């Protein structure tokens, strides 16, 4: 069975600081991996995705993520956080003919001025 | 741009009422999904559909049913709403295979 673990429920960073959100997955084959962001009261917006190829993936809003097969991880990073990045972030895994995605429980990001 | 719309942003219903949540997508996607989102539990899949009139149970189907009569529309039905169904409901659509899911804005349902 596929699963996703986001170890950090809540992270607080200062504006301008760097950010890393952790994601570990369990999947029996080559995974498709996603990061989504949800602003308060809104639906989920795709930040980036990994299907194959280069393990460092660039997304929108200056985010990037690195797929590390040996560690079963897909951590999200941003070099300098902006106040508008405050939101909840979800990692998800799926793959192949299985069109279901499994989501982590999310990490809430607070940005201090 | 893919657009997924949901019929209501906020909904308040009484216990025992029949509730319909509607979702429409404009990208001719084969797959459509209904999730509920609760604090600390993340997104949990209720039902999904991979074609018109086709549906499969997700992880928490109890108390819910769905209908997909047209490709663009996927409805979630609460036959007899209960207070433990108070939640945020999110609809999504995707092309075939495990490709990107596109989400609607969500419906926050309160059952009194």
């Amino acid at each position: 069975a596929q699963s996703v673990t986001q170890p950090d429920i809540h992270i607080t960073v200062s504006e301008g600081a760097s950010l890393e959100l952790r994601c570990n997955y369990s999947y029996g084959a080559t995974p498709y991996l996603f990061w989504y962001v949800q602003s308060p009261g809104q639906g989920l917006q795709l930040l980036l995705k990994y299907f194959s190829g280069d393990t460092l993936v660039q997304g929108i809003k200056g985010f990037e993520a690195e797929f590390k097969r040996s560690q079963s991880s897909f951590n999200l990073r941003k070099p300098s956080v902006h106040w508008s990045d405050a939101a909840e972030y979800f990692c998800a895994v799926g793959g192949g003919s299985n069109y279901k995605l499994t989501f982590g429980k999310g990490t809430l990001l607070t940005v201090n001025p | 741009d893919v657009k997924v719309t949901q019929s209501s942003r906020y909904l308040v219903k009484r216990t025992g009422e029949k509730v319909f949540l509607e979702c429409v997508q404009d990208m001719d996607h084969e797959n459509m999904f209904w999730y509920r989102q609760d604090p600390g539990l993340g997104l949990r899949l209720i039902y999904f559909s991979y074609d018109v009139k086709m549906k499969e149970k997700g992880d928490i189907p109890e108390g819910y049913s769905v209908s997909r009569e047209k490709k663009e529309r996927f409805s979630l039905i609460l036959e007899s709403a209960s207070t433990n169904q108070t939640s945020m409901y999110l609809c999504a659509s995707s092309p075939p295979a495990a490709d990107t899911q596109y989400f609607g804005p969500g419906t926050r349902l309160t059952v009194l």
Side-chain angles (χ1 to χ4, degrees), chain B residues 2-108:
Chain B
V2 175
K3 196 166 179 73
V4 179
T5 57
Q6 296 184 228
S7 50
S8 305
R9 292 300 304 277
Y10 299 94
L11 208 52
V12 180
K13 296 292 182 180
R14 298 279 183 195
T15 301
E17 280 193 77
K18 190 169 186 175
V19 181
F20 293 86
L21 303 183
E22 304 285 338
C23 175
V24 177
Q25 51 97 1
D26 67 355
M27 281 302 291
D28 203 36
H29 283 164
E30 284 76 6
N31 301 327
M32 296 189 75
F33 307 82
W34 275 108
Y35 295 89
R36 66 175 282 176
Q37 182 180 19
D38 301 287
L41 297 179
L43 276 72
R44 293 181 290 168
L45 182 64
I46 304 171
Y47 268 97
F48 65 100
S49 168
Y50 51 90
D51 202 350
V52 175
K53 297 192 185 294
M54 306 303 288
K55 61 186 179 186
E56 284 196 25
K57 294 179 180 179
D59 301 318
I60 52 164
E62 296 78 19
Y64 303 94
S65 62
V66 290
S67 172
R68 193 167 181 200
E69 297 296 319
K70 294 186 177 182
K71 191 174 186 180
E72 69 271 18
R73 188 179 299 268
F74 191 35
S75 302
L76 180 69
I77 303 157
L78 287 65
E79 295 288 344
S80 178
S82 63
T83 55
N84 63 12
Q85 293 178 310
T86 291
S87 186
M88 170 74 102
Y89 289 88
L90 293 167
C91 175
S93 72
S94 79
D99 208 326
T100 307
Q101 291 188 16
Y102 298 88
F103 284 82
T107 296
R108 184 163 296 282

Side-chain angles (χ1 to χ4, degrees), chain A residues 5 10 19-20 24 33 44 48 53 62 72 79 83-84 87 90-91 95 104:
Chain A
T5 302
H10 188 191
L19 172 69
E20 182 169 29
N24 293 100
L33 293 158
L44 274 68
L48 49 79
S72 298
W83 63 266
S84 60
F90 293 92
C91 181

Side-chain angles (χ1 to χ4, degrees), chain A:
Chain A
Q2 58 199 57
S3 66
V4 175
T5 302
Q6 294 181 245
D8 303 305
I9 296 173
H10 188 191
I11 283 183
T12 300
V13 299
S14 297
E15 191 168 17
S18 63
L19 172 69
E20 182 169 29
L21 302 182
R22 295 183 290 164
C23 172
N24 293 100
Y25 69 90
S26 174
Y27 192 76
T30 300
Y32 293 179
L33 293 158
F34 305 81
W35 274 100
Y36 284 85
V37 61
Q38 184 181 35
S39 298
Q42 303 297 316
L44 274 68
Q45 180 185 19
L46 179 73
L47 280 177
L48 49 79
K49 60 186 178 184
Y50 170 79
F51 284 1
S52 64
D54 192 345
T55 57
L56 185 62
V57 180
Q58 301 297 320
I60 62 170
K61 305 185 181 188
F63 285 92
E64 67 178 26
E66 186 171 12
F67 170 56
K68 293 185 177 179
R69 184 187 299 276
S70 62
Q71 298 177 21
S72 298
S73 70
F74 188 57
N75 294 347
L76 182 71
R77 300 193 294 251
K78 186 169 184 178
S80 178
V81 170
H82 188 262
W83 63 266
S84 60
D85 293 323
E88 191 158 21
Y89 292 79
F90 293 92
C91 181
V93 67
S97 60
N98 177 2
Y99 35 72
K100 289 170 60 176
L101 295 184
T102 298
F103 287 83
K105 290 183 168 53
T107 297
L108 180 65
L109 174 66
T110 298
V111 181
N112 286 335

